[in-house]
Amino acid sequence: DAGVIQSPRHEVTEMGQEVTLRCKPISGHDYLFWYRQTMMRGLELLIYFNNNVPIDDSGMPEDRFSAKMPNASFSTLKIQPSEPRDSAVYFCASSFGQDSQPQHFGDGTRLSIL
Amino acid sequence: EDQVTQSPEALRLQEGESSSLNCSYTVSGLRGLFWYRQDPGKGPEFLFTLYSAGEEKEKERLKATLTKKESFLHITAPKPEDSATYLCAVEGSSNTGKLIFGQGTTLQVKP
């Protein structure tokens, strides 16, 4: 079975540009999560969706960050405008159901803002 | 506030030298404690979920245990392919659906 698919795997862009990260969750999973990983702060939850509806976006650092899930098989995380401090690895994860089910992660997008 | 602290930050073992990784947690109403393995350039890979104190889970050379304050990941007779960063995460009743991750323990097993 295909796992969580993220694209692009690497992104290098200049400060001020718009960045869009993409995620395809595992088919049948009804929860989708966006995380950011840095050396200093580790793995942090940014936002998560249930049945395509945003449930908790309290981890989104600023209004420059936005996330959408237009259907069950696709989600985007957008940064506009981007800043050097946004450089990190961004992960998408998905899970099925409640009751503390494990989350399954994609291989991430390594983002570098120059 | 839910918190997770992992120790040590880094661990070097010789092949075959057994050891344990620690995950101490503070959470209001534990719903689940999760162990993940992360290889360089990859996303975290799910290993175990533990739900209540006294529970144990095993997979090959790995065994996870849980008490009311901490969890241990025991590695028996490790091999070089066990080298990775091991992450612990908790879900509490006040943050349903959200995982709080520790900083991880980076394990290196030398042949």
Side-chain angles (χ1 to χ4, degrees):
Chain A
D1 286 343
V4 175
I5 299 172
Q6 293 187 244
S7 64
R9 289 297 317 276
H10 303 273
E11 176 87 14
V12 181
T13 192
E14 293 189 347
M15 182 175 63
Q17 296 298 307
E18 178 178 290
V19 173
T20 300
L21 311 182
R22 297 173 175 79
C23 174
K24 177 179 170 57
I26 293 172
S27 178
H29 282 191
D30 55 352
Y31 283 81
L32 184 138
F33 306 82
W34 281 102
Y35 288 86
R36 178 170 67 177
Q37 188 175 41
T38 61
M39 289 293 292
M40 288 296 295
R41 300 175 67 88
L43 201 56
E44 302 175 286
L45 178 66
L46 300 177
I47 185 171
Y48 78 95
F49 296 82
N50 177 220
N51 291 323
N52 313 336
V53 177
I55 302 300
D56 187 335
D57 66 354
S58 60
M60 297 284 263
E62 300 173 32
D63 291 345
R64 298 183 296 104
F65 286 69
S66 62
K68 294 183 180 180
M69 192 165 186
N71 57 62
S73 59
F74 183 67
S75 177
T76 59
L77 178 67
K78 188 172 293 187
I79 308 173
Q80 167 63 19
S82 58
E83 296 184 4
R85 59 195 167 117
D86 302 331
S87 298
V89 182
Y90 290 80
F91 288 103
C92 176
S94 69
S95 67
F96 173 70
Q98 292 184 316
D99 298 327
S100 301
Q101 294 302 306
Q103 298 176 20
H104 299 272
F105 285 75
D107 282 338
T109 295
R110 182 172 294 276
L111 177 64
S112 296
I113 308 297
L114 306 178
Chain B
E1 182 182 340
D2 298 346
Q3 281 190 319
V4 177
T5 302
Q6 293 187 244
S7 62
E9 287 186 17
L11 182 62
R12 286 186 176 182
L13 299 174
Q14 288 295 129
E15 184 172 2
E17 180 186 2
S18 301
S19 188
S20 297
L21 282 54
N22 177 263
C23 171
S24 296
Y25 65 90
T26 304
V27 66
S28 54
L30 181 70
R31 289 175 53 86
L33 184 141
F34 302 82
W35 281 100
Y36 285 84
R37 169 193 170 125
Q38 186 174 22
D39 293 299
K42 298 286 189 179
E45 176 188 349
F46 170 71
L47 294 174
F48 304 109
T49 309
L50 301 168
Y51 294 102
S52 58
E55 191 174 359
E56 298 182 352
K57 295 250 178 101
E58 283 188 71
K59 180 180 179 180
E60 296 181 354
R61 295 177 292 283
L62 300 177
K63 178 180 177 180
T65 62
L66 180 65
T67 72
K68 289 186 177 180
K69 293 183 179 180
E70 56 192 351
S71 176
F72 291 94
L73 185 64
H74 306 277
I75 304 177
T76 302
K79 298 182 177 181
E81 53 262 42
D82 294 322
S83 298
T85 295
Y86 291 86
L87 297 167
C88 171
V90 297
E91 179 186 350
S93 57
S94 61
N95 285 299
T96 303
K98 298 173 68 169
L99 294 186
I100 307 300
F101 279 85
Q103 291 284 80
T105 293
T106 299
L107 172 66
Q108 183 180 28
V109 182
K110 293 192 170 184

